Amino acid sequence: MSRKDTTTGVKGSGGRGGEGLRGRLTPGRIAALVVAALTLVFIFENTQKVEIRLLIPVVTIPLYLALLGTWVVGGLCGAYLSCRRRR
């Protein structure tokens, strides 16, 4: 077996060498999940209506929708940039 070959030959292991869930939950991923959960709590705690100017029109919407929309757009931009960087 070469150094790069990580398969164990165990049927159904998926080539992960028996890591299971522990191998997938890295400290970085746990931190990202905690930050995402805290962000969602913050978003849904802010329910008052606010006025937002979208270039010309003024829109009155609940603050949580504005925050959620901003979070989604930021995530999409981050995903796009990370995919572009890998190429």
Side-chain angles (χ1 to χ4, degrees), residues 40-60:
L40 287 173
V41 168
F42 175 76
I43 286 171
F44 290 110
E45 286 293 320
N46 291 290
T47 57
Q48 67 272 15
K49 294 208 180 246
V50 293
E51 287 186 354
I52 298 176
R53 181 177 301 276
L54 299 172
L55 295 178
I56 295 177
V58 175
V59 180
T60 302

Side-chain angles (χ1 to χ4, degrees), residues 19-42:
E19 291 176 354
L21 185 61
R22 186 174 288 176
R24 292 186 202 138
L25 285 179
T26 63
R29 288 182 181 166
I30 292 171
L33 288 172
V34 168
V35 168
L38 290 174
T39 301
L40 287 173
V41 168
F42 175 76

Side-chain angles (χ1 to χ4, degrees), residues 6 43 57 64-65:
T6 60
I43 286 171
Y64 72 89
L65 287 178

